Amino acid sequence: MPATHFIADLHLLDDREPAARRLAGYLAGPARDAEALYVLGDLFDVWIGDDGSIAPHTATLDAFAALAGAGVPLYFIRGNRDFAVGADFERRSRMQMLDDPTALTLHGVPTLLAHGDVFCSDDIAHQAFRAKYTDARWRKRRLALPLWLRRTVARRARRRSTAAKQSKPARIMDVNTATVAALAAEYGAQRIIHGHTHRPDDHVDGRLERHVLADWRPDTAEVLLVDDSGVARHRLDAGGCFSA
Ligand code: MN
């Protein structure tokens, strides 16, 4: 059985940047062999709403749609940066939305998929924001604001988040292992796959595996592959092909 692919935290700004070109190469190349592709949030650095954010990402959405057209199922979990993706985004990209977290059995293993911030329970301020953006009614109210105001709010939020990252201790920006264990038990998961923390690693704690996806950087990018034999990481070259 072919491998299931996972990516997250690309933080795309627009179609023109190198990361978007790398993604397009991957979606037209190695991703065609995937059993399915899961995008676990923060695909975009910001999404102010379908009305303002589809235009700069048209080529990316078309590339996802072409992959879906080639028969690869696509799934998306909202991140804290791109929580505002809506029905037009779904239609254009042909991605199917999943709850955060989502439990399912993948390649025989009970697995929990999440953007990742659900585990960062020590960051109280972020959890307050997460409670809002994961609420469909709050998102609807936010999207009812005029576009110019959403742009201003997004710019201000990013500035605040940059400042907060510098002042918050590194520890509270990572997962709380007790929260990880509690959610794994609640969902009966033996494997967790998530992004958000930008701390790519493979953790094993007793019977529980936790695989943290790599964020994409100007010089490096990675896809996580899961198949019946386990988990592997594949680096992408600048053209989006698996590098040797
Ligand atoms: Mn995030």
Side-chain angles (χ1 to χ4, degrees):
M1 193 188 248
T4 305
H5 291 206
F6 296 87
I7 56 174
D9 301 304
L10 280 70
H11 290 270
L12 297 178
L13 301 170
D14 60 43
D15 283 336
R16 296 185 310 264
E17 63 159 328
R21 288 202 299 272
R22 194 199 306 257
L23 174 64
Y26 160 70
L27 295 175
R32 298 288 162 123
D33 298 325
E35 172 80 10
L37 168 61
Y38 289 83
V39 181
L40 300 188
D42 290 357
L43 172 60
F44 305 104
D45 197 51
V46 64
W47 192 272
I48 53 174
D50 293 352
D51 49 353
S53 294
I54 283 180
H57 296 289
T58 305
T60 293
L61 301 195
D62 289 348
F64 277 109
L67 180 59
V72 178
L74 307 178
Y75 301 99
F76 188 82
I77 289 183
R78 295 180 156 88
N80 51 298
R81 300 298 200 101
D82 50 17
F83 62 84
V85 296
D88 288 341
F89 166 83
E90 283 181 61
R91 208 165 26 245
R92 291 289 292 264
S93 66
R94 298 182 63 177
M95 291 211 241
Q96 303 170 55
M97 300 305 220
L98 297 179
D99 289 337
D100 184 11
T102 284
L104 72 180
T105 298
L106 274 180
H107 301 280
V109 178
T111 302
L112 190 64
L113 307 179
H115 174 52
D117 50 351
V118 70
F119 305 117
C120 300
S121 52
D122 294 327
D123 191 342
I124 307 297
H126 183 81
Q127 291 307 319
F129 173 59
R130 186 175 184 279
K132 292 186 201 166
Y133 87 73
T134 54
D135 177 355
R137 286 163 308 176
W138 184 88
R139 289 200 301 267
K140 197 172 171 204
R141 281 201 305 275
R142 166 62 69 92
L143 287 166
L145 298 176
L147 196 51
W148 66 265
L149 185 53
R150 278 179 274 143
R151 266 189 232 283
T152 308
V153 169
R155 207 175 307 125
R156 217 182 289 148
R158 256 173 312 166
R159 233 184 348 243
R160 251 202 319 268
S161 137
T162 308
K165 262 183 220 139
Q166 282 154 8
S167 65
K168 281 179 189 172
R171 180 182 44 77
I172 78 162
M173 311 281 286
D174 201 356
V175 302
N176 176 306
T177 50
T179 303
V180 170
L183 282 165
E186 183 184 335
Y187 288 94
Q190 286 170 23
R191 177 182 283 156
I192 295 177
I193 302 172
H194 72 85
H196 178 69
T197 61
H198 297 201
R199 288 171 165 90
D201 207 346
D202 303 292
H203 304 268
V204 180
D205 182 7
R207 285 185 68 220
L208 180 65
E209 301 169 25
R210 182 169 62 90
H211 305 280
V212 186
L213 300 176
D215 50 307
W216 286 27
R217 299 181 184 183
D219 49 338
T220 62
E222 208 178 80
V223 181
L224 189 92
L225 272 66
V226 179
D227 65 14
D228 292 352
S229 65
V231 175
R233 292 170 187 271
H234 288 253
R235 287 205 158 186
L236 295 175
D237 65 22
C241 292
F242 287 155
S243 47

